[in-house]
């Protein structure tokens, strides 16, 4: 148990914190724009990758994976170079941001079709990204990732400091609670690692000149948040009282920052504006956690086992 905790949680969180310390706190490095810009995204990706391998074993993933949860690590590994690449595009404006979101959204959603070779996903022969996902669900996933990336990148270009990392920490924490209530313990740990790294980024930003999370950080955070939420909904048998819109509330919570970027908040003291933003973001997450708490404690939770291999569905 101790070894699992160390490999699945402690090591990934400390690795993510180390990446942030190098990129945001080390004076020579934080002055290099692309390093500071990609630090948050690289920290999230590294933490996620190490946590996944700590849970599932250090095995080189295949593409396409044998089991659908393998897409998580495939995309997690892809997020690492993506964060670095997008750090070099900070000066590119419209339509670069919009095209980045659209390309990434549809690329993720169409992965099964891309790697199906001669098979056609829309013809019903290729395996879906996750069990029971149809063409409409893949299209919805593409639009969610695309729109989420566009909004978060736009927000990340104007709002620096701890606001966005702390908002993401709340969202990932809500995802951990929902995963726990659904019975997927491994995903709970992954969400927990991402939440801890995001919270650490919020703390470090107070001592590093209020840096921006960058396009890479915004993109990686959105991809992981939406992808993990979708995976848990489709790959687990959730309790009857765990409604689909709980996931919507959690995934949308950091985007509540968008309408709060207005003149009224600009005139407020920084501390007051920060705490009001955090309350607005935290409210839906707290509501969801309160609703699923009885399921986590055993008063109506999932009947699924804690063992991922016993719980996960094999491809049909």
């Amino acid at each position: 148990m101790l070894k699992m905790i160390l490999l699945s949680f402690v090591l990934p969180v400390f690795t993510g914190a180390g990446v942030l310390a190098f990129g945001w706190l080390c004076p020579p490095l934080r002055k290099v724009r692309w390093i500071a810009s990609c630090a948050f995204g690289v920290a999230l990706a590294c933490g996620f990758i190490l946590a996944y391998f700590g849970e599932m074993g250090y095995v080189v993933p295949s593409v396409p994976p044998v089991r659908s949860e393998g897409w998580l690590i495939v995309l997690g590994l892809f997020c690492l170079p993506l964060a670095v690449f997008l750090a070099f595009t900070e000066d590119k404006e419209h339509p670069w941001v919009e095209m980045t979101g659209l390309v990434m959204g549809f690329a993720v959603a169409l992965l099964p079709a891309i790697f199906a070779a001669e098979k056609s996903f829309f013809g019903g022969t290729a395996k879906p990204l996750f069990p029971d996902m149809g063409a409409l669900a893949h299209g919805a996933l593409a639009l969610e990732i695309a729109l989420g990336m566009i909004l978060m990148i736009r927000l990340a270009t104007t709002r620096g400091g701890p606001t966005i990392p702390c908002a993401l920490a709340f969202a990932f924490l809500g995802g951990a609670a929902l995963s726990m209530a659904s019975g997927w313990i491994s995903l709970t740990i992954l969400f927990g690692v991402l939440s801890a790294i995001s919270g650490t980024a919020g703390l470090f930003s107070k001592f590093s000149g209020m840096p921006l999370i960058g396009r890479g950080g915004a993109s990686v955070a959105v991809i992981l948040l939406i992808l993990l939420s979708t995976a848990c909904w489709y790959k687990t048998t959730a309790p009857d009282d765990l409604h689909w819109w709980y996931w919507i509330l959690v995934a949308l919570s950091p985007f509540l920052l968008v309408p709060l970027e207005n003149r009224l908040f600009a005139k407020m003291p920084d501390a007051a504006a920060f705490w009001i933003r955090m309350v607005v973001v935290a409210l839906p997450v707290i509501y969801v956690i309160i609703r699923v708490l009885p399921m986590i404690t055993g008063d109506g939770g999932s009947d699924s086992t804690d063992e991922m291999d016993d719980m996960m569905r094999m491809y049909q």
Side-chain angles (χ1 to χ4, degrees):
M1 177 62 73
L2 179 60
K3 181 180 179 181
M4 183 193 73
I5 295 174
L6 289 174
L7 292 178
S8 301
F9 189 84
V10 177
L11 178 61
V13 171
F14 272 81
T15 300
V19 172
L20 289 169
F22 276 106
W24 283 3
L25 299 181
C26 185
L29 294 179
R30 73 181 186 184
K31 295 179 181 179
V32 181
R33 185 181 180 186
W34 73 268
I35 294 179
S37 178
C38 74
F40 182 62
V42 171
L44 287 179
C46 287
F48 176 81
I49 292 167
L50 288 176
Y52 185 95
F53 282 137
E55 277 292 295
M56 303 300 295
Y58 293 87
V59 179
V60 178
S62 60
V63 181
V66 177
R67 298 173 63 173
S68 57
E69 66 268 18
W71 285 118
L72 299 180
I73 186 59
V74 170
L75 290 169
L77 289 168
F78 174 74
C79 283
L80 198 54
L82 176 67
V84 177
F85 169 74
L86 291 179
F88 291 95
T89 69
E90 295 288 350
D91 293 328
K92 297 182 181 294
E93 292 298 331
H94 177 82
W96 181 264
V97 174
E98 289 75 12
M99 289 302 300
T100 300
L102 290 172
V103 169
M104 282 304 306
F106 282 95
V108 171
L110 292 176
L111 276 176
I114 294 172
F115 289 100
E118 73 281 356
K119 298 180 180 180
S120 170
F121 166 72
F122 296 102
T125 55
K127 299 173 183 177
L129 195 63
F130 301 114
D132 300 327
M133 283 187 71
L136 289 178
H138 282 78
L141 177 63
L143 293 177
E144 290 165 9
I145 293 177
L147 183 59
M149 285 182 61
I150 293 170
L151 290 176
M152 190 59 68
I153 288 175
R154 290 298 184 189
L155 181 64
T157 59
T158 59
R159 176 58 50 189
T163 302
I164 299 178
C166 289
L168 290 169
F170 278 117
F172 288 127
L173 181 63
L178 287 170
S179 300
M180 177 72 78
S182 300
W184 193 346
I185 306 305
S186 295
L187 198 66
T188 303
I189 295 173
L190 295 179
F191 268 120
V193 167
L194 295 173
S195 179
I197 293 175
S198 298
T200 303
L203 177 64
F204 283 4
S205 67
K206 296 290 291 183
F207 304 99
S208 55
M210 310 289 276
L212 301 171
I213 66 170
R215 293 183 179 182
S219 301
V220 171
V222 167
I223 291 172
L224 292 178
L225 177 60
I226 295 177
L227 184 70
L228 296 185
S229 300
T230 303
C232 191
W233 177 253
Y234 280 101
K235 287 189 66 64
T236 61
T237 303
D240 293 336
D241 293 334
L242 200 159
H243 305 294
W244 61 270
W245 50 268
Y246 288 178
W247 284 107
I248 301 296
L249 285 178
V250 167
L252 282 179
S253 61
F255 297 98
L256 295 177
L257 294 174
V258 174
L260 300 182
E261 290 295 319
N262 55 54
R263 295 180 181 179
L264 177 62
F265 279 78
K267 296 178 181 178
M268 291 183 181
D270 291 341
F274 170 78
W275 285 112
I276 292 175
R277 288 186 174 100
M278 289 301 98
V279 169
V280 171
V281 169
L283 280 176
V285 177
I286 293 173
Y287 170 78
V288 168
I289 292 176
I290 292 174
R291 296 292 295 179
V292 303
L293 191 59
M295 310 175 203
I296 296 174
T297 57
D299 302 326
S302 172
D303 293 330
S304 55
T305 66
D306 288 352
E307 294 297 330
M308 190 175 188
D309 287 338
D310 293 334
M311 180 187 63
M312 291 296 96
R313 299 179 185 178
M314 293 293 289
Y315 274 144
Q316 300 298 322

